[in-house]
Amino acid sequence: MTIIIGLIIAGASLIGGFAALGGKVLVLWQPYEFVIIVGVALGTYVVANPLKVIRDTARAIGEALVHSVPKKRDYLDVVGVLYALMRELRAKGRNEVEPHIEDPDNSEIFRKFPSLQKHKPLRMFVCDYFRLIIVGNARPHEIEALMDEELETIARDKMKPYHALAVLAEALPAIGIVAAVLGVIKAMGAIDQSPQILGGLIGAALVGTFLGIFLSYALVTPLANNIKGVRERRLRPYIIVKQSLLAFMNGAAPQIAVEHGRKTINASDRPSIDEVENETMTHAVMASGDNVQELNQKGAA
């Protein structure tokens, strides 16, 4: 929504300011210059990027338009699942936890937290590292190194649309110059015409340069930065999982371990300690089938 509002403000200011200076707004209407610039830009984008990145770019633009980032409820579900699994592992052992991580689709714990249940990559991330913890051979620093490597790989894949659009934004001014040169060539072909006609052709050619710069700095670059911000926030749940599990492996109780993860959430979206204890932890205990009154006893054991 903010993207659309921003574009309306930018467009209105541009056209309104040009008209206030006495410019003829209709001169800016050069559809074929637009076709050349946008067509060449799309063509070079297809040449430079594999089909997977092109599809992911469309998905990333959609996420940016609706600002699809994790909300407080999503974070509560993440720490809720972590708490429930850590508590099961500490209180009952690996045999009770293995069915949940081996078949999360049918797990009563995962079913109680629908946002994480639907997020298959994150759910797999959680299950994979709980599986490593259950095996018991890996030490915390080894798990941390492995997590860092996987998170770097995930981030690199998620940021490909941003990097691709950033490169396109850098190329758009030059593509605008190409369109302007074609317009000048056309104008030179009418050099014997009247100054009024020749001036109109040259003005139309210069619109190409204007469009290339405008699309680069007023549309594609801001959109790429918005995509970067959205994708970074969508990666935050993975950091929560990492910090919580590392704290748990180093001996922290489940309540303390999820607090390590909670602290990595942006302040504007971060649930309070009371919210985590009263809602998420209680929900996790109910999901595991135990009595709520046992929360402090087994959680701190």
Side-chain angles (χ1 to χ4, degrees):
M1 188 63 181
T2 55
I3 294 177
I4 297 174
I5 293 174
L7 290 176
I8 291 174
I9 294 173
S13 301
L14 178 73
I15 296 174
F18 181 70
L21 290 172
K24 296 181 179 180
V25 177
L26 288 178
V27 174
L28 299 177
W29 178 245
Q30 302 295 335
Y32 293 111
E33 293 281 334
F34 186 82
V35 169
I36 292 171
I37 294 170
V38 174
V40 172
L42 289 176
T44 55
Y45 194 81
V46 171
V47 171
N49 299 286
L51 186 59
K52 182 179 179 180
V53 174
I54 295 173
R55 290 174 176 170
D56 195 30
T57 301
R59 190 180 304 111
I61 291 173
E63 292 170 358
L65 287 173
V66 300
H67 198 59
S68 178
V69 297
K71 305 297 189 298
K72 183 180 290 188
R73 178 70 261 168
D74 300 312
Y75 291 128
L76 285 171
D77 281 0
V78 172
V79 296
V81 164
L82 293 175
Y83 178 82
L85 291 173
M86 288 187 293
R87 185 171 174 276
E88 287 281 289
L89 185 58
R90 175 160 291 194
K92 300 180 181 179
R94 59 177 295 178
N95 292 334
E96 296 293 333
V97 178
E98 274 186 319
H100 296 292
I101 64 175
E102 295 296 339
D103 188 14
D105 289 324
N106 297 315
S107 166
E108 288 300 322
I109 289 179
F110 281 95
R111 284 179 178 177
K112 295 294 183 179
F113 304 96
S115 66
L116 184 60
Q117 178 77 341
K118 295 176 183 177
H119 195 328
K120 187 175 180 180
L122 180 59
R123 190 184 67 189
M124 291 177 60
F125 186 82
V126 171
C127 292
D128 287 346
Y129 286 99
F130 263 101
R131 191 175 290 110
L132 288 176
I133 292 173
I134 288 174
V135 170
N137 294 326
R139 288 170 287 187
H141 71 274
E142 295 174 336
I143 296 293
E144 182 176 10
L146 183 60
M147 281 185 171
D148 288 339
E149 188 66 30
E150 183 171 0
L151 288 174
E152 183 179 346
T153 301
I154 294 172
R156 186 166 54 247
D157 287 340
K158 293 298 182 181
M159 290 300 171
K160 284 181 179 179
Y162 159 70
H163 292 298
L165 286 174
V167 171
L168 178 62
E170 293 177 358
L172 273 169
I175 296 174
I177 292 174
V178 171
V181 169
L182 292 175
V184 171
I185 293 172
K186 177 183 176 182
M188 291 300 100
I191 194 69
D192 57 340
Q193 299 295 318
S194 66
Q196 184 177 2
I197 295 176
L198 189 59
L201 293 174
I202 294 175
L206 292 175
V207 170
T209 303
F210 153 71
L211 281 175
I213 296 173
F214 178 80
L215 291 175
S216 173
Y217 294 106
L219 179 61
V220 179
T221 296
L223 180 60
N225 288 330
N226 196 308
I227 287 173
K228 180 182 179 182
V230 169
R231 285 290 171 95
E232 285 177 344
R233 292 183 65 175
R234 290 175 68 88
L235 289 172
R236 181 54 47 184
Y238 292 90
I239 307 299
I240 297 172
V241 174
K242 172 191 169 183
Q243 294 302 123
S244 298
L245 290 185
L246 288 177
F248 180 68
M249 291 186 70
N250 283 309
Q255 297 100 317
I256 305 302
V258 296
E259 179 64 12
H260 281 250
R262 188 187 73 87
K263 287 295 187 181
T264 66
I265 304 172
N266 294 332
S268 59
D269 299 319
R270 184 188 304 156
S272 67
I273 296 178
D274 290 337
E275 286 178 304
V276 172
E277 289 182 350
N278 295 336
E279 182 175 349
T280 309
M281 292 184 182
T282 301
H283 201 173
V285 174
M286 295 174 65
S288 65
D290 291 325
N291 194 315
V292 177
Q293 281 81 4
E294 298 174 1
L295 175 61
N296 293 325
Q297 297 176 1
K298 289 187 177 180

